[in-house]
């Protein structure tokens, strides 16, 4: 990309939490943060796709919600990316407010900023091809167009919206004008559209000057403008995050950017892209992207398929084997706390599982056993009538709040790294294979002063072991009494 | 049963370990010891079926193998049954040697003893009806017959062997002569046999005077006699068990009692039984016995069936949910370390899963996470690179061996009950919420001096954490160096 082009800012939307990839994806930790395909998470893949000076990209702007803020920064750090900004939505309001707030943020920094808005939960295996498509879009952007990317369909898919062009896209991949958006079609219509060559899948990825994006909102969705503008103006900086003002942001309508702006704007151009894309919008899509073998079988983890066809078998943890025998067109996803089995063509009904579990008040509907916190994560290993055992992992330099409990005592055994432990007025360094006792009522703090993660086994004993038995005396993450860990 | 009838001794065979109910049933802990249907285990149900003075039954004789000896006694104790004897097979030799050794054992105690030989892994829901069938069999026994029980078929089952009678059984349920045994039939033959009314399923349960059983072996399987007789003569008593002599027992042919004796003996009588029986020989049989609902769906544990038909969904632990959506004719069994999914009509191929996992050296093929020992049980909660966390439950009055480790130190935290802990020359009582450190190399012992189970969390740290890093200095259960826990 030539040096004189305007600066290109990736805007990665990562606040969403769908239910269609349950049990791997949960409200507390949705699919974009899981290593769904390959070793890196979808969010990391998205960030890496748009990273790097050679791609002409500035540091990414992340829009997410408060629950995921530490996951976002940890996952970026793990792949060596320093975000340009992390904008925290106080509550989810769909994509229109998220896109607009990023546009406002960028305009204030660079009036010529170009934004590349992309979800964080899609698969685009060929990074170079996609960056090439972005370059092709810049010409249309320079003419004041909002560019959307259209995926060349390879099957009559009924699960995606389509973009209709005047004529089939030109072989050189140049942007062409958008005729109209088409809603998810029926099977017959999808076949016709595939045959015509003039319809592309709507990938929901946009490229535009921030100023043009704001202008489109002003014209087509003016009611989004004032609340989002105020939410940014009244935002508070907090530990490197920019927290949008809750009262203002709540007033923005909850609406998608497609519906609010794109379907109404007349200046849309479409850049075709045919090098592979999936929204991973269900286990059937994951099956397809994983690359099934000659029998149509895709497995991951310690999964064994015996005499199976056209099936997906995923064992999500090393300690749990999954065996399918004689399956045809079946999806099976196994986790230690939850297992899903369904025909592949019922993949879109996985939301029914989540609804059923929620109705039965099962925690597996929305939360994972592993709970991520500002300082690291923990998981319950066993919960007995009067005891609980947890594995606690504290990031280098991180600290839990200075706290005490009314109803439980805690034994801590350090098994990796070194902990700095405060119990009442005593401060000590506790290294691997050493233990500390925290009596009921004692004011205590746990820190990791080292350069590597510190792993600790906590054995709690007491009459009540709920997370809300916590009195916070001091917290570097500014959380309140009874709030989480 | 009148008082003057000879004493009836239940002989419960519980040394077997099939693979067809994997993952619930494993070699280390087979299906008869699991609560497959209802709260009690199949072994407990079998023992209770034949227990009680009112049934005219003596205390049961259990034939099992060394691995299961403590499970047997614990499970009997839990339902208040004191066994007459527990005969330990040094190695499995199929059912003929097991039946003969019980017959020898009983004859030596009571020349008129009658034995009722039954497997421990069948379902017979109506105890009273079965005891009534036993009573009906006693008349034939008094005439020197070996009685076998024939189940009135309700479907053309191809998975069982059949007993052919001269004529359909008499309505009063009296014993009639056996014409011949019939091997598992094909589908057409099974339909013909069902229609004829002269064929009953072979339940593999026998009633005979011990002396008549021995005589049958002498006539038809004389090669079993000498090694089994010697194994009993040279048996050693050990903690209430009678351990058959390994060298002698190994010389007995490994052969089923049906094949060795029953199919050759001319003095067999058949008592018909029609009040419900299953050998639970596969997940399809479990599905049938569990009582499927109107849609043919049977669930157990936290399992949810959404739009399912003719399927079995079992979640074997409270902490793991299993959701099936849109399944038809599917079996799904979920455990935290292993999950099976297969069509119901492939239930007999579950052995393929075990074989595949064994070939891939997965421990799940044969062992459960929970490991039963003479003193109680333990399970690994988490295994890290240089640490391991275990939950250890020690039975009242039980003690682990006096031991030491070359490569690991141990932290013990008592979370229920009271432990008596020896570390080198120090002996202390450790109660709930107290901890003890066992340094690398220290000679230590753990005991439960109390009246309730003691629960302890053990955190091991070290470079090698295998179970075989153990030096036994003293063991009340007489186990050797490097042997299990």
């Amino acid at each position: 990309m030539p040096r004189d082009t305007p600066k290109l800012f990736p805007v990665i939307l990562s606040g969403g939490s769908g239910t269609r990839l349950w049990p791997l994806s949960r409200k507390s930790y949705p699919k974009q943060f899981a290593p769904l395909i390959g070793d890196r998470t979808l969010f990391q893949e998205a960030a890496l796709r748009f990273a790097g000076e050679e791609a002409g990209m500035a540091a990414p702007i992340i829009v997410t919600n408060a629950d995921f803020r530490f996951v976002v920064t940890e996952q970026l750090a793990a792949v060596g990316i320093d975000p340009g900004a992390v904008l925290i939505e106080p509550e989810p309001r769909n994509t229109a407010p998220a896109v607009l707030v990023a546009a406002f943020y960028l305009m204030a920094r660079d009036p010529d900023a170009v934004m590349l808005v992309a979800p964080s939960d899609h698969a685009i295996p060929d990074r170079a091809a996609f960056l090439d498509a972005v370059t092709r879009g810049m010409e249309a952007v320079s003419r004041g167009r909002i560019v959307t990317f259209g995926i060349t369909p390879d099957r009559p898919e009924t699960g995606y919206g389509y973009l209709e062009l005047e004529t089939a896209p030109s072989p050189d991949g140049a942007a062409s004008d958008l005729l109209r958006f088409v809603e998810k079609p029926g099977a017959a219509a999808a076949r016709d559209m595939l045959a015509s060559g003039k319809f592309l899948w709507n990938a929901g990825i946009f490229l535009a000057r921030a100023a043009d994006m704001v202008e489109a909102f002003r014209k087509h969705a003016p009611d989004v403008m004032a609340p989002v503008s105020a939410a940014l103006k009244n935002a508070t900086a907090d530990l490197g995050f920019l927290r949008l003002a809750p009262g203002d942001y709540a007033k923005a309508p909850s609406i998608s950017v497609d519906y609010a702006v794109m379907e109404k704007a007349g200046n849309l151009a479409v850049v075709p892209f045919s090098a592979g894309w999936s929204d991973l919008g269900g286990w059937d899509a994951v099956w397809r992207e994983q690359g099934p073998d000659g029998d149509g079988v895709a497995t991951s983890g310690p999964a064994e398929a015996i005499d199976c066809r056209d099936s997906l078998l995923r064992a999500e943890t090393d300690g749990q084997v999954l065996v399918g025998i004689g399956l045809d067109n079946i999806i099976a996803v196994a986790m230690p706390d939850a297992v899903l089995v369904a025909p592949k063509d019922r993949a879109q009904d996985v939301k029914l599982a989540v609804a059923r579990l929620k109705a039965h008040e099962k925690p597996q509907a929305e939360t994972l056993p592993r709970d991520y916190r500002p300082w690291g994560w923990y998981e319950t290993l066993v919960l007995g009538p009067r005891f609980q055992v947890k594995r606690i992992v504290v990031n280098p330099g991180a600290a839990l709040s200075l706290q005490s409990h009314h109803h439980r005592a805690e034994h801590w055994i350090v098994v990796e790294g070194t902990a700095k432990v405060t119990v009442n007025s005593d401060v000590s360094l506790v290294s691997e294979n050493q233990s500390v006792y925290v009596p009921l009522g004692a004011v205590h703090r746990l820190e990791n002063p080292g350069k590597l993660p510190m792993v600790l086994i906590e054995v709690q004993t007491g009459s009540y072991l709920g997370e809300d038995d916590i009195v916070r005396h001091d917290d570097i993450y500014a959380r309140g009494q009874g709030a989480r860990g």
Side-chain angles (χ1 to χ4, degrees), chain A residues 132 185 212 252 254 258 379 431:
Chain A
D132 187 55
D212 292 337
S254 181
D258 277 33
E379 64 187 355
S431 54

Side-chain angles (χ1 to χ4, degrees), chain A residues 288-411:
Chain A
R288 201 178 292 115
E289 288 303 305
Q290 255 184 245
D293 66 16
D295 295 323
V297 173
T299 64
S300 66
E304 303 278 358
I306 300 173
D307 298 343
C308 293
R309 292 170 45 136
D310 296 331
S311 292
L312 175 68
L313 298 176
R314 289 182 61 111
E316 300 292 348
T317 52
D318 283 345
Q320 186 180 37
V321 298
L322 166 64
V323 183
I325 303 173
L327 300 178
D328 188 0
N329 191 43
I330 290 283
I331 286 159
V333 182
M335 300 184 75
D337 71 328
V339 178
L340 169 75
V341 184
K344 189 147 50 63
D345 50 21
R346 295 291 299 265
Q348 294 306 309
D349 289 331
V350 171
K351 57 184 183 293
L352 299 176
V354 177
R356 173 74 69 92
L357 293 173
K358 230 175 135 171
H360 290 183
E361 298 183 344
K362 294 284 182 188
Q364 288 94 338
E366 300 195 328
T367 56
L368 281 173
R370 188 171 291 188
D371 206 342
Y372 289 82
R373 299 297 171 89
W375 42 260
W377 57 265
Y378 74 81
E379 64 187 355
T380 295
L381 299 175
V382 61
L383 178 60
R386 285 176 50 83
F387 72 95
Q388 178 168 221
V389 184
K390 287 180 177 175
R391 164 159 53 172
I392 298 176
V393 177
V394 182
N395 295 327
L400 279 71
S401 62
L402 185 69
Q403 57 190 238
S404 60
H405 312 291
H406 291 301
H407 304 288
R408 67 178 190 251
E410 294 173 347
H411 295 260

Side-chain angles (χ1 to χ4, degrees), chain A residues 124-205:
Chain A
I124 304 177
D126 189 340
R127 174 179 183 258
F130 192 76
L131 293 178
D132 187 55
V134 171
T135 302
R136 278 182 273 132
M138 289 300 280
E139 183 276 330
V141 166
S142 71
R143 292 185 284 115
R145 310 300 285 268
I146 296 176
V147 169
T148 179
F149 294 84
I151 311 299
T152 311
D154 59 6
R155 61 182 187 275
E157 175 66 51
T158 58
Y160 299 145
Y162 284 70
L163 304 167
E164 182 175 1
L165 309 182
E166 283 279 6
T167 55
S170 85
D172 65 2
S176 42
D177 288 351
L178 174 70
L179 193 63
R180 64 183 179 99
F181 283 85
V182 180
E183 296 280 313
K184 292 180 186 176
R191 279 193 299 273
D192 290 348
M193 292 195 288
L194 179 64
S196 85
K198 293 190 295 181
F199 293 82
L200 304 175
W201 294 335
N202 178 10
I205 305 174

Side-chain angles (χ1 to χ4, degrees), chain A residues 5 45 56 127 185 188 218 227 241 264 284 330 332-333 368 413 418:
Chain A
T5 52
E45 292 286 358
R127 174 179 183 258
R218 197 190 55 74
F241 305 109
K264 296 169 182 164
D284 49 344
I330 290 283
V333 182
L368 281 173
I413 297 123
T418 300

